Amino acid sequence: MKQKIPGILFLLAMPLSVLLYIKVEALSGSEILGLFSAVALYVIVAIVIALVFNKKD
């Protein structure tokens, strides 16, 4: 199960990034800021996965 958690987190990041894009774009009026925030979400999720799941047992 521990091997599937990173994939599940990335799958959860997909709809969250779309929602984040829509919210940021609506609030700021800038599509670029919405895009950067959505991409930043993926980067943050990847960093968290790398820090948590790349520990030696």
Side-chain angles (χ1 to χ4, degrees), residues 17-31:
S17 69
V18 172
L19 290 174
L20 184 65
Y21 170 79
I22 291 170
K23 292 287 185 182
V24 171
E25 195 273 329
L27 291 174
S28 68
S30 173
E31 292 179 2

Side-chain angles (χ1 to χ4, degrees), residues 26-38:
L27 291 174
S28 68
S30 173
E31 292 179 2
I32 293 293
L33 281 177
L35 178 65
F36 283 141
S37 64

Side-chain angles (χ1 to χ4, degrees), residues 3 5 16 23 28-29 32 34 41 43-44 46 50 53 57:
Q3 296 171 341
I5 293 175
L16 290 176
K23 292 287 185 182
S28 68
I32 293 293
L41 177 68
V43 171
I44 291 169
F53 293 100
D57 292 332

Side-chain angles (χ1 to χ4, degrees), residues 2 51-57:
K2 187 176 181 182
L51 290 175
V52 172
F53 293 100
N54 283 339
K55 292 182 181 177
K56 292 186 178 185
D57 292 332

